[in-house]
Amino acid sequence: MVAATIAAAAACALAVTIPASASTSSTPNALQQQVNAVQQTGTVGVAAQVTSPRGQLFAEAGQADIATMSSVQSGDAFRIGSSTKTFVATVMLQLVAEHRVSLEDTVERWLPGLVTGAGNDGSKITVRELLQQTSGVPEYLSDFPEITSTANFQAGRFTTYTAAQLVAIAMRQAPEFAPGTAWEYSNTNYILAGMIIKKATGHTWQHEVTQRIINPLHLSHTIAPITSSAIPGRHLHGYSNFGSGPVIDVTALNPSAADAAGAMISTTDDLTRFFHTLVTGKLLAPAQLTAMETTVPAPGLADVLPGARYGLGLMQIPLTCGGSYYAHGGDLPGYHTREGVTTDGRTTAVAVQTGDGTATTEHAMDNLIDRELCTPATR
């Protein structure tokens, strides 16, 4: 079966050399300085990992837990937010390779009657457009009070949502544009993708991600939770004040509020292995990897990532030293993840910061990724 072949290929990815920490980049001080610079913009904790043909390099700053005053350590787990989308897109493209789903299938074919109302029409939206963020489907988070204030977060942080409920929230709004005519980031696209995975396989997207990616790659600190609000094991605590008021610990959260758009938990090391294995062609057949890496302009990202383009669950971002890298950052209240892997898969950089940060924090994180991927000693 094709599914078994893909799972076997993923398992073989363990044979791909992920350099050991015994031989590191020649710029450990530079990475530490960049991590310190991110932390000094107003974050609580920061961790970064760079993996290249020269080895692995880690740097940490700040606190993992304000209450205990414990320091950030390499290997701490954290909520990865929208980096989840790349896992979900990978599963969908595996299903495409197995001829169980087509990128040209409509949403209506798989989820009849779900995307309707206020001008929304699932019969005109394809799976490709969902993954590519060109569907025009409205953003459910724009009408989701649970993330707008401390009080609302506290009231709703342990609520269980179904994917259908999240989509229904989005359907209160008119579409952003006609499908395929523009680009706009909408988390609802990936809620729908997760639902299609379940319809096509009979299993939740969490099950499929676990069986097809997490287990074969031995991502031992990565999980795709359904409703459990805790982060197991050693982890970073998240903190936010939702724009005003006192900062609170937001670590405990029922992840069903993010679902296939951002529910997963991982570590810098596991994300490194995943993105390296993906870009080097060990998770997807060539045709599907090419589809994932075929990008369109993403003007909505221009403020923070000028020139960024979007494929199928994967961003392509220009490097200041020339060329580009692949990535998909993620944000949830209290957690902000950035990563990048060179197009040849040789060098991967992953960084996470906790707390809200300031206006300069995101630029500092993006600069860290860019500088590490541009450092000659790591290429």
Side-chain angles (χ1 to χ4, degrees), residues 70-84:
S70 59
S71 297
V72 176
Q73 300 180 51
S74 62
D76 285 345
F78 49 89
R79 299 191 185 278
I80 67 172
S82 286
S83 296
T84 300

Side-chain angles (χ1 to χ4, degrees), residues 52-75:
S52 76
R54 300 288 297 272
Q56 289 181 339
L57 182 66
F58 302 90
E60 305 87 24
Q63 296 174 327
D65 183 350
I66 291 175
T68 64
M69 301 295 286
S70 59
S71 297
V72 176
Q73 300 180 51
S74 62

Side-chain angles (χ1 to χ4, degrees), residues 64 75-78 220-221 223 230-237 251 265 267:
D76 285 345
F78 49 89
S220 56
H221 300 290
I223 59 173
I231 302 179
R234 204 181 70 219
H235 60 273
L236 303 178
H237 284 240
T251 307
I265 293 166
T267 63

Side-chain angles (χ1 to χ4, degrees), residues 4 18 23 30 34-35 96 99 118 170 213 241 246-247 271 280 285 320 325:
I18 301 286
S23 172
Q34 291 173 70
V35 165
V96 170
H99 305 291
I213 302 174
N241 72 349
V247 172
L271 286 177
T280 54
T320 57
Y325 66 95

Side-chain angles (χ1 to χ4, degrees), residues 180-245:
T181 64
W183 186 93
E184 184 69 32
Y185 195 93
S186 172
N187 287 285
T188 314
N189 285 317
Y190 277 77
I191 305 298
L192 290 164
M195 297 179 76
I196 291 172
I197 289 171
K198 183 175 182 180
K199 199 72 175 286
T201 66
H203 301 117
T204 65
W205 70 265
Q206 293 96 331
H207 173 90
E208 294 297 320
V209 164
T210 301
Q211 295 302 313
R212 293 168 175 265
I213 302 174
I214 294 174
N215 289 347
L217 296 188
H218 298 291
L219 305 182
S220 56
H221 300 290
T222 298
I223 59 173
I226 297 176
T227 59
S228 175
S229 62
I231 302 179
R234 204 181 70 219
H235 60 273
L236 303 178
H237 284 240
Y239 299 92
S240 182
N241 72 349
F242 299 90
S244 63

